[in-house]
Amino acid sequence: MTSGVGTAAPGRALAHPDRDRLALERVLHALADPVRLSVVGVLAETGEELPCSAFALPVSKSTCTHHFRVLREAGVIRQVYRGTAKLNALRRADLDARFPGLLDVVLTARRRADGA
Amino acid sequence: MTSGVGTAAPGRALAHPDRDRLALERVLHALADPVRLSVVGVLAETGEELPCSAFALPVSKSTCTHHFRVLREAGVIRQVYRGTAKLNALRRADLDARFPGLLDVVLTARRRADGA
DNA sequence: AGCCTTGTACGATGTCTCTCGTACTTAACG
DNA sequence: CGTTAAGTACGAGAGACATCGTACAAGGCT
């Protein structure tokens, strides 16, 4: 049987870089885009796993897929299939372990820069 | 007369973004390049104003000019003409004021990522 | 079963980025 | 004044990136 229910991890798994191999330049590049930065901001604020459709980004669906892939390949988010949706979670623990403070600093800077 | 000696600020001045207008995405993008990141690392370590020629970068002179311009336009460094040379200084105070902790976090992360 | 929602894959396109070489400017130094 | 040293300007080319639309796959809902 291909699992009884399989609500958690049915389909194929996606490739995620190891925590020890996160590349700083890659992470910085991933964060250096307004769309992706806002995604990370929302994920950090809610602290939840959210499907791509929950972000209301000002780009098309295919562009959306592209940005989430960049974030995943840089190691910023973790993506898991769940039914037809794909849940996105911030890899906060991994990022904090590898680049201590980076995420918080960027998020804080983003808020400040946003309102000023 | 156009100033008696003029060893400090003779030629035309270069455009630098205001401290209050530094854009986070621009700064992140500027730091997301290995060549520029190494420049910032050297400037931070020495704490000195250094001419472009002091960096021994693995790129040509024109590419060098390009990278320093990106850093300057993002507001990461300040450039001042001095004779035929151009001195580069890290805008640490401005960066710390605008994006507290960002520079230190990136520099620390870079060292750690470097050796691991 | 059929439909709808969610996201992927693929190709196309225009822009930006990194890189270079060559020619030029600017200033110091003899 | 001529030479040298440090950068700049101006193309130019190769590659990456952001964007889109259309066609497709996979899973729930009725």
Side-chain angles (χ1 to χ4, degrees):
Chain A
M1 56 177 99
T2 45
S3 85
V5 183
T7 38
R12 65 264 130 177
L14 292 159
H16 291 83
D18 249 14
R19 181 188 46 206
D20 294 340
R21 279 172 196 156
L22 300 187
L24 177 59
E25 293 144 24
R26 225 175 158 84
V27 171
L28 290 175
H29 171 250
L31 298 177
D33 178 279
V35 173
R36 294 192 290 260
L37 195 50
S38 92
V39 166
V40 173
V42 171
L43 284 176
E45 280 171 14
T46 67
E48 299 279 331
E49 295 190 314
L50 296 172
C52 303
S53 54
F55 291 90
L57 300 174
V59 294
S60 75
K61 256 196 314 182
S62 9
T63 304
C64 208
T65 297
H66 161 68
H67 284 305
F68 279 96
R69 180 170 42 215
V70 170
L71 286 171
R72 188 191 73 233
E73 292 180 344
V76 177
I77 65 173
R78 171 163 285 120
Q79 297 188 293
V80 182
Y81 281 106
R82 168 131 189 226
T84 81
K86 189 156 76 170
L87 296 182
N88 303 280
L90 200 55
R91 293 180 62 179
R92 188 183 271 281
D94 290 331
L95 288 169
D96 285 348
R98 178 78 165 149
F99 307 124
L102 178 61
L103 192 57
D104 285 332
V105 157
V106 169
L107 289 171
T108 302
R110 175 179 162 267
R111 286 195 197 172
R112 184 158 306 181
D114 213 20
Chain B
M1 57 178 85
T2 46
S3 88
V5 182
T7 36
R12 68 262 128 183
L14 292 160
H16 291 83
D18 248 16
R19 179 190 45 207
D20 295 339
R21 281 172 195 155
L22 300 187
L24 177 59
E25 294 143 24
R26 227 176 157 82
V27 171
L28 289 176
H29 170 249
L31 298 177
D33 178 279
V35 173
R36 293 192 291 261
L37 196 50
S38 93
V39 166
V40 172
V42 170
L43 283 176
E45 280 171 15
T46 67
E48 299 278 333
E49 295 189 315
L50 298 172
C52 303
S53 53
F55 291 89
L57 300 174
V59 293
S60 75
K61 255 199 309 184
S62 10
T63 302
C64 208
T65 297
H66 161 69
H67 284 305
F68 279 97
R69 179 169 43 215
V70 171
L71 285 171
R72 189 191 73 235
E73 290 180 346
V76 178
I77 65 172
R78 172 163 285 121
Q79 296 188 292
V80 183
Y81 282 106
R82 169 131 191 226
T84 81
K86 189 156 75 169
L87 296 181
N88 303 280
L90 200 55
R91 292 180 64 178
R92 188 182 272 280
D94 290 331
L95 288 169
D96 285 348
R98 179 78 166 149
F99 308 124
L102 179 60
L103 192 58
D104 285 332
V105 158
V106 169
L107 289 170
T108 302
R110 176 180 162 266
R111 286 195 196 172
R112 183 158 307 180
D114 213 22

